[in-house]
Amino acid sequence: MKRRDFLASGLGAIVGAASWRPHLEPAARIRFGYAAITWNGDDRQAIDDIAALGFRGVQLRQSAFDTWGDRPGELKELLAHKGLVLVALSSGNVSLDPAAETETLAQHARHAQFVRDVGGRYLQVIDERPRGKPPVAEDFQRMGRLLTEIGRRSSDLGIPLGYHNHMGALGQSPDEVARVLDAADPRFVRLLLDIAHYQQAGGDPAAAVRQHAGRLLFLHIKDLAGDRFVELGRGQVDIKAVFAALDAINFDGWGVVELDSVPAGGGTPKQSGAIARRYLETLNRWNDAR
């Protein structure tokens, strides 16, 4: 074979191999869970439905602690039977009020203990915006100290802390989220990025993934239409761009699909969950890390 023929055939092989690249698996490995908030406190039904839909994990709230707080082994056994992981417990708010500090720290420590005893992964907290006035630098510094202490205590139990950006919280706008994170110790406080709340506050969720890649603990995969939360694929959040950003940083972790309530005129929470699953399937994401 002449040299130029050899080079041509080799180039053709390379081009042929490159043509397969669009069919490669996504770089991110995302395990999908679903938040029980849509069931409005009926956690047993939520667990049944989420497992039946094929999700791998569940996020629970205070109602679960109220039910199983003194018998976490029962919940652990139930989740194992259903093939679910407790991805996170929504632990409630963190107040700036000094008078509430002792109980706030104790509450989140109790919740972290519960997550550990259930065999769960993470603790989620949301902070509170000061009432009646714009936040000032001291508010961010104080919140950073509180979150660091909560995260230190939960870390001692083996449960990482996720700070949840949220409308109406101190960490609402992209700049405010960054200020809270900057004020907290990165060893103990990481980010639970809610992509819909981040967009509602004027941010670009895909840009947030890249900006906070080093602090990203897990995500709320959520969609937004106007000021209403809707099923995945029915709003304006560019979820494809978020997944592309997760691919770019080689994210390996949990994405919890969340819908606060079934939109007016909709069906059941389980039907909304089925819509989310079908949407993830259309993006070739459902089998990312199953």
Side-chain angles (χ1 to χ4, degrees):
M1 180 183 292
K2 294 182 179 179
R3 183 173 183 273
R4 67 184 178 193
D5 295 331
F6 173 79
L7 291 174
S9 63
L11 180 59
I14 294 171
V15 172
S19 68
W20 288 96
R21 292 190 62 81
H23 304 287
L24 295 176
E25 291 297 317
R29 297 183 66 248
I30 307 170
R31 300 153 190 82
F32 287 109
Y34 204 96
I37 186 174
T38 326
W39 283 259
N40 195 29
D42 190 351
D43 293 317
R44 291 184 185 275
Q45 188 63 56
I47 289 167
D48 284 347
D49 289 347
I50 290 167
L53 288 167
F55 287 89
R56 297 182 61 188
V58 61
Q59 179 164 351
L60 297 171
R61 308 178 77 215
Q62 179 67 41
S63 56
F65 183 81
D66 293 341
T67 301
W68 290 288
D70 59 350
R71 52 187 198 282
E74 181 181 316
L75 177 57
K76 183 177 183 179
E77 184 177 340
L78 173 62
L79 293 175
H81 177 68
K82 295 293 183 178
L84 292 173
V85 171
L86 176 59
V87 182
L89 180 74
S90 303
S91 189
N93 290 5
V94 180
S95 173
L96 284 167
D97 183 1
E101 179 173 337
T102 299
E103 176 52 30
T104 294
L105 296 177
Q107 170 192 315
H108 296 303
R110 288 192 297 269
H111 288 167
Q113 176 82 48
F114 178 70
V115 173
R116 187 193 70 173
D117 292 346
V118 175
R121 298 291 188 268
Y122 309 129
L123 192 72
Q124 169 199 299
V125 294
I126 301 171
D127 58 13
E128 291 184 0
R129 204 170 184 85
R131 297 178 182 178
K133 66 180 183 68
V136 296
E138 289 76 11
D139 295 325
F140 292 98
Q141 292 303 313
R142 174 167 174 73
M143 185 56 66
R145 290 193 296 271
L146 289 169
L147 292 173
T148 296
E149 182 57 29
I150 293 167
R152 191 190 313 274
R153 296 184 186 194
S154 67
S155 178
D156 286 345
L157 295 165
I159 304 300
L161 179 68
Y163 169 70
H164 182 358
N165 63 289
H166 204 281
M167 294 297 294
L170 180 62
Q172 174 175 282
S173 71
D175 176 65
E176 290 168 342
V177 173
R179 291 181 71 182
V180 171
L181 291 175
D182 287 346
D185 191 327
R187 295 174 297 172
F188 303 115
V189 182
R190 296 178 65 187
L191 175 63
L192 157 55
L193 176 63
D194 186 305
I195 64 176
H197 278 283
Y198 199 85
Q199 179 162 312
Q200 194 172 21
D204 176 350
V209 168
R210 296 186 293 270
Q211 178 182 352
H212 299 295
R215 298 284 289 273
L216 192 58
L217 184 61
F218 71 108
L219 298 95
H220 278 173
I221 307 297
K222 195 168 184 175
D223 211 346
L224 178 72
D227 61 354
R228 299 179 300 110
F229 298 119
V230 294
E231 292 93 349
L232 297 189
R234 297 188 169 184
Q236 286 82 48
V237 176
D238 192 345
I239 298 172
K240 294 179 183 178
V242 170
F243 284 138
L246 292 170
D247 285 337
I249 67 168
N250 292 307
F251 179 77
D252 185 352
W254 285 94
V256 174
V257 178
E258 186 181 55
L259 179 65
D260 290 26
S261 60
V262 176
T268 66
K270 186 177 182 180
Q271 288 170 331
S272 290
I275 292 169
R277 173 175 172 164
R278 287 194 297 271
Y279 178 75
L280 293 171
E281 289 173 335
T282 66
L283 299 185
N284 192 31
R285 289 289 174 172
W286 180 250
N287 294 317
D288 270 11
R290 296 199 60 76

